[in-house]
Amino acid sequence: MDNRKKGNGGSQSGGGSYEMLDRNMTNQYDTNPSAPPLAPQPQYASPHQNNVSRSDLEVLETTAADPYNYEMYQSYQNEPEHAAPYHADAGVGYFQDPHYGQQPQPGMYSQEYANSPYMDGGMPQPPKPLPTPQAMTLHEAYSIPSTPVMTDDGGEPKLGKEGKPRVKIDPRIMPDPDPVVASLYDMEQAPPPGARKFKRFQSQRRRKLKAVQLTSGNVVLDSPVPDAVLDRCKFKDAKEFTHVRYTPVLSDPNEFRNDKYTLRQSILGRETEIFIVLTMYNEDEILFNRTFTAVMKNIKHLCSRTNSRTWGINAWEKVVVCIVADGMNKIDKRVLAVLGALGIYQEGIMQQMVGEDEVTAHLFEYTAQTSMDANMNFVGHQQDMPPVQVLFCLKNKNAKKINSHRWFFNAFSEILKPKICVLIDVGTKPTGTSIYHLWKSFEHDERVAGACGEIAADLGKRCKHVLFNPLVAAQNFEYKISNILDKPLESVFGYISVLPGAFSAYRYSALQNTSKDTGPLAEYFKGEQMHSEGADSSIFQANMYLAEDRILCFELVAKRRCNFILRYVKAAKAVTDVPDNLAELISQRRRWLNGSFFAAFYAIVHWYRMFRTSHGPYRLFMLTLELIYQTINMIFSWFAIANFYLAYFFLEQNLKTIWDSQSTNEPISKNADPFHGAGYIVMEVFRELYILALVMQFVLSLGNRPQGTKAIYRLSVLLFTIIMIIITYVAMYGVVYTAVHIDYEKENISSLLQEEKFRDIIISVAATYGIYFISSFLYFEPWHMFTSFLQYMLWLPSSINILMVYAFCNTHDVSWGTKGDTSMTTTLGVAKVEKNEDGDGIAHIPVTSDKDEMNKEYEEFITELKSPRQPEEKKRDAQTKREDQNKIFRTTLVLAWMSSNIVLGMVISSEWFADATTEGDSTGSHNYYLSFIFWSVACLSAFRFIGSLWYRLRFLFHD
């Protein structure tokens, strides 16, 4: 393995010269039979501790202080008067516990990451220590199999500092686990939490893990939280509440465990039932507070389930919340202020470099007891909020959301081994019991590999967004119908095409790969490789991995020799913010539409893999039925523009028949024309405008960003809205006119249904919008039909003619709309690594060394949150350089899409097709293709309704 934690230099520490201890000093705990024998007992030189003034202290060199025992790391108890308030797991060696081998006495380990049911009484606060320069020794790491590497050009890796190869980690491939390291995270050797030997197990486990950290040379600092944080806390006597644990991580996420990094929960021997990740980019503090507080309320609900075999009053110990921020220069500074106010984040202890190696991520660990609401008010134990175990991973550079998930799955989950992983985007607010209901779906059925709940649009206070913003209302209707018809239907089949990354859950064991580079997670993290610089992936794959969550869903259900299914849980609900302006919506749907189209095509082509699984005949039949359904939907989506145009064209032809009849001996009454004789002219004018607007969409999409052409897009939406009003008016007028003017004395209702125009339109509309009403009332959620249905109807042609055109015309753009931030923050500290005369590594770490400075830093966080946010001007990013091969692919795809739709429209609207299909029709206005479209829409809607009804009846009592 590439050991990146070595230092050079020859400076000797002023804190005393220590002999390096052997890594296997606790041989009776080491499981590595090939490790070197126990080293002789070291002899310590008597260090001379002298007080220094703050002006003389520019660099704090941290290590263990006199009396050189393990007890000093545990708490302030028995520390010398001038010991530093920081402790470093950075290679000081292993200090033998004088109480080793004895039964633990009450209070002996009371302040070391206590497990709350077994905490002893609080210890008296130590006197305020003075900062003292110390030193720490870094040891060499074990040699373990390295992760396969890749370079941009496929050649030999270039050499970097100290002659080490500069390589890129393949995100798909996890390294072979070191058996010695893996044994340290084996939870099966832990006694039950209520057992008498549990605290002794914690002590032994802590020593073993600490020895591994020291051997690896990983810098870990335990820094006391500000006094104001503890004043708001209920628990103040355990180190997980009084100290924040900071680790500057140098590794790639895939190498996190083998580089012997560890987490507090592992040291404590706690089992992790649910591991929650909150991913964020540049969301503001309001969105962050909304999500984090909602998660705390969910943990509160788990703690309230005292009759559960899994949960109870200490359920918070089985839940870990991981916050991953995508880049230091991208995260909102006020969010950092919130995290600092909660005690989770401290800026003064962060390091940019350790030796000559750049920090890839800053990891903070703290058990928080408070959160903040949208009004910046603290919420804590006064509102019965439980403690929450928090990991805050602040990535040094922006590497996109999929890289954040790689930290979550391949780094932290490899240590904690959770049963269920819950994915939440910052800005999404799960309801108070949503996470429990997701967990329950896994608990009830071991076949469930993934689950999602209902995601609803944020309608604002008193529904102001849906009432005053038609764009939000239209999205609200889309979300609701998807959660009422589409998700339940797919859940019945057992394969949900996408579990939304904003709120979903997975069984961790189901995510594991079947081989080193094959399996759900390996396929999922291909997306990071696809979009990296120098990637040799095709543009098809790059577009497909814009919807990498769809790929993950397919891989889970199609996992070889497994019978996993995906489940929709109606009772699990979450609210998320949606785009409230047109430009942002177009950019978002570009990613969604392109990713979903190519991912759906991938799933259809590779559907044969379903027959290599362990699914039974019934499940395979259901999956095959879903394949047919998805294929039909994909075909209709491809020809959506042509079908919309043809629907308009045939309605116009009906009016043209009335117009032409005026010059004949038997004219049709002008009352049959909704515009009283001018209908054909009106329809023809707007048909020409429709064609012009459609051509304009292609011109705009091929060379302009929505943010730069807002006025033209708004004008296009207005025109398509008017066209939709005309289509609806003409169709409904024809239906009503036919129903009113039929001679009921000579004919009955059956004769009315034999009128093709009446029958087709009525059945299509009733099967579509009627089913919307019936299913909404069936799920007891009809309000969107009254508040958002009209806006959705008027938005529908814009979604077809604007969003789809922009998406297909920008298939060469495979970005998420953000650029990676490759700049490095230089305002943080740099941990210098040198060697003394004995060859031992000495790390000089600059940190905030005074409690007053910490409290001052905390007050700065509070001041930042109290001051109003200053509006920022959004500057346009420079155009991304386009790859020629991506443009060629884009051009070919658009030409194929345009040509097929144009040919279909020309053929169906041609006179010879009309003559061939109107024989026997006295009016000559009926068209069989239009009937086919109407009946297809009706059948698909009915199929969705049957699946929704089936789900409702089947899982009515499960949720």
Side-chain angles (χ1 to χ4, degrees):
M1 185 183 67
D2 176 22
N3 182 9
R4 298 176 298 166
K5 304 179 179 65
K6 297 179 182 178
N8 54 15
S11 173
Q12 182 176 354
S13 170
S17 176
Y18 309 138
E19 181 178 347
M20 182 170 68
L21 300 184
D22 189 85
R23 61 170 67 100
N24 285 296
M25 197 162 187
T26 57
N27 205 45
Q28 58 269 39
Y29 292 114
D30 202 325
T31 59
N32 182 11
S34 61
L38 186 65
Q41 181 69 25
Q43 301 295 325
Y44 297 102
S46 235
H48 300 285
Q49 299 287 352
N50 298 317
N51 292 342
V52 293
S53 64
R54 289 189 50 79
S55 60
D56 295 330
L57 184 62
E58 296 180 357
V59 177
L60 177 64
E61 304 167 357
T62 60
T63 189
D66 186 42
Y68 306 126
N69 56 35
Y70 186 76
E71 192 72 17
M72 59 76 57
Y73 188 86
Q74 293 180 266
S75 68
Y76 290 121
Q77 184 183 8
N78 297 329
E79 283 198 26
E81 181 180 357
H82 305 305
Y86 298 91
H87 309 292
D89 299 348
V92 298
Y94 182 89
F95 292 93
Q96 181 67 50
D97 186 354
H99 302 286
Y100 167 69
Q102 304 176 12
Q103 182 69 23
Q105 300 299 319
M108 181 180 297
Y109 300 113
S110 61
Q111 294 194 5
E112 176 64 17
Y113 306 159
N115 191 290
S116 65
Y118 312 101
M119 288 191 296
D120 298 322
M123 302 298 295
Q125 292 294 325
K128 179 180 176 181
L130 295 176
T132 305
Q134 309 267 336
M136 57 187 176
T137 306
L138 300 180
H139 295 260
E140 301 298 330
Y142 285 117
S143 175
I144 64 175
S146 61
T147 303
V149 299
M150 60 180 181
T151 59
D152 291 337
D153 55 5
E156 292 294 328
K158 299 179 181 179
L159 296 182
K161 298 176 182 178
E162 301 182 1
K164 301 175 185 176
R166 184 181 300 161
V167 297
K168 293 171 62 178
I169 300 297
D170 189 336
R172 301 171 301 166
I173 303 176
M174 290 290 291
D176 295 328
D178 183 356
V180 178
V181 179
S183 66
L184 298 175
Y185 303 103
D186 184 10
M187 296 299 300
E188 294 182 357
Q189 60 179 308
R196 179 175 55 86
K197 297 182 179 180
F198 184 79
K199 293 185 67 174
R200 182 175 182 181
F201 161 76
Q202 286 184 312
S203 174
Q204 295 172 351
R205 183 179 181 83
R206 178 175 58 245
R207 286 201 290 263
K208 293 167 64 176
L209 290 171
K210 195 170 300 300
V212 172
Q213 290 179 355
L214 299 175
T215 302
S216 302
N218 297 325
V219 177
V220 179
L221 299 176
D222 276 307
S223 173
V225 298
D227 295 333
V229 174
L230 290 179
D231 291 341
R232 296 187 179 94
C233 295
K234 178 179 180 181
F235 303 105
K236 306 178 183 180
D237 53 355
K239 203 167 190 178
E240 63 180 322
F241 305 125
T242 61
H243 287 69
V244 59
R245 191 172 190 255
Y246 168 68
T247 305
V249 182
L250 307 179
S251 300
D252 181 85
N254 288 17
E255 296 180 328
F256 186 83
R257 186 179 72 170
N258 276 351
D259 280 353
K260 302 181 180 65
Y261 288 99
T262 189
L263 303 173
R264 270 182 171 172
Q265 290 72 30
S266 178
I267 295 175
L268 291 168
R270 290 176 179 170
E271 293 186 5
T272 302
E273 185 76 18
I274 298 179
F275 194 16
I276 306 171
V277 61
L278 308 181
T279 52
M280 63 178 171
Y281 178 59
N282 59 356
E283 291 80 4
D284 60 30
E285 75 281 7
I286 303 299
L287 294 177
F288 174 79
N289 288 343
R290 180 172 69 172
T291 301
F292 187 71
T293 302
V295 171
M296 287 192 70
K297 290 180 179 179
N298 274 267
I299 299 176
K300 173 184 175 181
H301 175 73
L302 297 177
C303 294
S304 68
R305 303 191 68 86
T306 54
N307 294 329
S308 172
R309 292 176 299 176
T310 304
W311 308 112
I313 191 171
N314 296 309
W316 63 269
E317 296 179 351
K318 298 182 179 182
V319 182
V320 180
V321 178
C322 176
I323 306 169
V324 185
D326 194 16
M328 289 189 60
N329 291 342
K330 298 298 181 182
I331 187 174
D332 192 294
K333 303 306 178 185
R334 292 172 68 89
V335 173
L336 289 179
V338 170
L339 291 169
L342 302 182
I344 300 170
Y345 167 79
Q346 290 185 11
E347 186 174 340
I349 61 177
M350 296 173 64
Q351 307 297 312
Q352 185 62 46
M353 306 281 291
V354 175
E356 297 185 358
D357 298 307
E358 182 181 349
V359 174
T360 58
H362 306 273
L363 180 60
F364 296 86
E365 301 173 68
Y366 182 64
T367 302
Q369 301 181 60
T370 57
S371 65
M372 281 187 170
D373 59 19
N375 298 320
M376 298 296 118
N377 298 318
F378 285 92
V379 180
H381 65 89
Q382 296 85 353
Q383 293 77 25
D384 296 327
M385 289 294 187
V388 178
Q389 302 177 99
V390 179
L391 307 179
F392 174 42
C393 177
L394 179 57
K395 297 193 302 186
N396 203 36
K397 297 178 181 178
N398 168 240
K400 299 184 176 65
K401 177 181 175 180
I402 191 170
N403 177 264
S404 299
H405 281 168
R406 191 155 67 91
W407 278 100
F408 174 72
F409 284 119
N410 287 0
F412 309 136
S413 295
E414 278 291 307
I415 302 294
L416 299 181
K417 299 295 184 184
K419 293 183 180 179
I420 307 301
C421 297
V422 179
L423 278 56
I424 304 177
D425 287 346
V426 167
T428 301
K429 178 184 177 182
T431 58
T433 61
S434 294
I435 294 178
Y436 168 75
H437 285 294
L438 284 181
W439 170 84
K440 189 170 67 172
S441 67
F442 293 94
E443 191 74 5
H444 283 173
D445 192 345
E446 61 181 8
R447 299 174 302 163
V448 176
C452 69
E454 175 186 351
I455 296 185
D458 182 13
L459 306 182
K461 189 176 182 180
R462 297 179 181 176
C463 297
K464 64 177 182 179
H465 293 162
V466 75
L467 295 178
F468 299 103
N469 191 324
L471 209 58
V472 174
Q475 295 176 81
N476 175 54
F477 188 87
E478 288 180 330
Y479 278 55
K480 280 295 183 181
I481 291 301
S482 174
N483 292 321
I484 291 175
L485 292 178
D486 296 327
K487 287 292 190 294
L489 170 67
E490 294 178 339
S491 183
V492 169
F493 288 134
Y495 168 56
I496 299 177
S497 57
V498 57
L499 300 180
F503 183 57
S504 56
Y506 296 91
R507 190 184 300 274
Y508 183 67
S509 59
L511 292 170
Q512 300 310 299
N513 297 328
T514 54
S515 63
K516 179 167 290 189
D517 58 351
T518 305
L521 284 182
E523 294 297 324
Y524 180 65
F525 291 125
K526 272 186 181 179
E528 183 179 355
Q529 180 182 352
M530 298 289 177
H531 300 89
S532 62
E533 296 181 4
D536 58 354
S537 59
S538 66
I539 187 63
F540 181 93
Q541 291 176 314
N543 273 281
M544 182 177 70
Y545 274 95
L546 287 174
E548 69 278 349
D549 44 4
R550 291 178 177 267
I551 301 300
L552 182 59
C553 292
F554 177 79
E555 293 296 330
L556 285 172
V557 179
K559 190 173 183 180
R560 196 177 183 90
R561 297 188 181 91
C562 297
N563 62 339
F564 291 124
I565 60 174
L566 305 178
R567 180 69 48 83
Y568 171 65
V569 183
K570 181 66 177 176
K573 298 183 179 181
V575 177
T576 188
D577 57 321
V578 297
D580 57 359
N581 63 81
L582 185 59
E584 185 180 351
L585 178 62
I586 294 174
S587 299
Q588 180 200 66
R589 295 303 173 91
R590 187 268 305 173
R591 301 189 301 270
W592 287 14
L593 290 174
N594 285 345
S596 61
F597 177 82
F598 288 96
F601 188 82
Y602 171 85
I604 292 172
V605 171
H606 293 82
W607 203 266
Y608 64 89
R609 292 176 49 192
M610 294 293 182
F611 298 93
R612 299 178 180 177
T613 63
S614 298
H615 292 298
Y618 168 76
R619 183 61 59 189
L620 288 176
F621 170 77
M622 296 294 289
L623 292 173
T624 304
L625 191 62
E626 184 176 7
L627 166 66
I628 298 173
Y629 171 75
Q630 290 186 351
T631 303
I632 295 175
N633 270 336
M634 188 175 180
I635 294 174
F636 273 92
S637 176
W638 178 268
F639 291 106
I641 287 183
N643 288 331
F644 183 84
Y645 170 79
L646 289 172
Y648 185 95
F649 175 80
F650 289 127
L651 288 175
E652 180 187 350
Q653 290 302 109
N654 292 338
L655 299 184
K656 186 176 185 299
T657 303
I658 301 175
W659 174 273
D660 293 338
S661 71
Q662 302 304 313
S663 59
T664 64
N665 294 330
E666 298 181 0
I668 302 175
S669 173
K670 290 186 177 181
N671 291 331
D673 186 341
F675 296 95
H676 302 286
Y680 173 66
I681 297 177
V682 173
M683 293 285 285
E684 180 65 17
V685 170
F686 276 96
R687 186 173 71 90
E688 300 296 336
L689 290 176
Y690 169 69
I691 296 175
L692 177 62
L694 186 59
V695 172
M696 185 168 59
Q697 300 313 307
F698 283 94
V699 175
L700 290 175
S701 301
L702 290 172
N704 299 275
R705 296 186 312 117
Q707 291 80 0
T709 50
K710 295 180 181 179
I712 302 179
Y713 274 112
R714 289 170 183 166
L715 180 62
S716 301
V717 171
L718 177 61
L719 178 58
F720 287 127
T721 301
I722 295 175
I723 291 174
M724 188 63 189
I725 294 175
I726 293 175
I727 290 178
T728 305
Y729 172 62
V730 171
M732 292 297 101
Y733 186 92
V735 169
V736 174
Y737 182 85
T738 303
V740 169
H741 289 80
I742 191 172
D743 189 355
Y744 289 100
E745 294 181 358
K746 298 181 180 180
E747 302 180 19
N748 51 27
I749 298 297
S750 60
S751 300
L752 181 63
L753 293 177
Q754 291 177 1
E755 290 286 338
E756 291 86 354
K757 291 182 294 183
F758 179 87
R759 180 191 61 209
D760 295 345
I761 293 177
I762 283 295
I763 291 179
S764 176
V765 171
T768 303
Y769 306 119
I771 284 176
Y772 287 171
F773 272 97
I774 295 174
S775 58
S776 298
F777 279 97
L778 182 65
Y779 278 77
F780 306 109
E781 295 180 355
W783 305 117
H784 60 279
M785 298 300 304
F786 303 102
T787 61
S788 305
F789 175 70
L790 179 61
Q791 296 92 320
Y792 170 77
M793 287 291 298
L794 298 178
W795 165 252
L796 188 59
S798 297
S799 66
I800 296 174
N801 295 281
I802 295 179
L803 299 184
M804 291 191 64
V805 170
Y806 184 82
F808 275 104
C809 289
N810 287 273
T811 49
H812 65 295
D813 182 6
V814 294
S815 68
W816 277 269
T818 56
K819 290 186 175 182
D821 177 25
T822 57
S823 60
M824 183 177 76
T825 304
T826 58
T827 58
L828 302 181
V830 177
K832 299 180 180 179
V833 180
E834 301 176 350
K835 289 186 178 180
N836 57 19
E837 295 178 352
D838 298 329
D840 299 336
I842 306 297
H844 306 268
I845 306 177
V847 295
T848 302
S849 56
D850 189 85
K851 196 68 174 288
D852 290 337
E853 289 187 9
M854 290 181 198
N855 293 330
K856 182 179 179 181
E857 183 180 291
Y858 178 83
E859 292 300 328
E860 291 177 356
F861 289 144
I862 299 299
T863 303
E864 171 72 19
L865 295 175
K866 288 182 178 179
S867 60
R869 174 182 288 273
Q870 298 298 325
E872 299 179 1
E873 295 184 3
K874 295 184 178 180
K875 298 181 179 180
R876 299 180 183 179
D877 294 331
Q879 285 287 342
T880 306
K881 187 177 181 179
R882 311 300 185 188
E883 295 288 344
D884 289 340
Q885 59 180 2
N886 292 0
K887 288 186 176 182
I888 293 174
F889 177 85
R890 183 270 311 272
T891 303
T892 305
L893 178 67
V894 172
L895 285 176
W897 181 52
M898 287 177 53
S899 301
S900 59
N901 278 271
I902 291 174
V903 169
L904 178 64
M906 291 175 60
V907 170
I908 301 301
S909 61
S910 62
E911 292 185 4
W912 67 265
F913 183 84
D915 294 339
T917 57
T918 55
E919 291 186 21
D921 184 6
S922 58
T923 63
S925 61
H926 179 252
N927 188 284
Y928 288 101
Y929 183 79
L930 191 61
S931 298
F932 167 74
I933 295 298
F934 285 155
W935 279 94
S936 298
V937 171
C939 291
L940 290 175
S941 298
F943 188 78
R944 295 166 69 192
F945 176 74
I946 293 173
S948 175
L949 180 62
W950 189 351
Y951 173 87
R952 189 62 173 165
L953 296 176
R954 183 178 179 182
F955 299 107
L956 181 63
F957 302 103
H958 286 262
D959 291 344

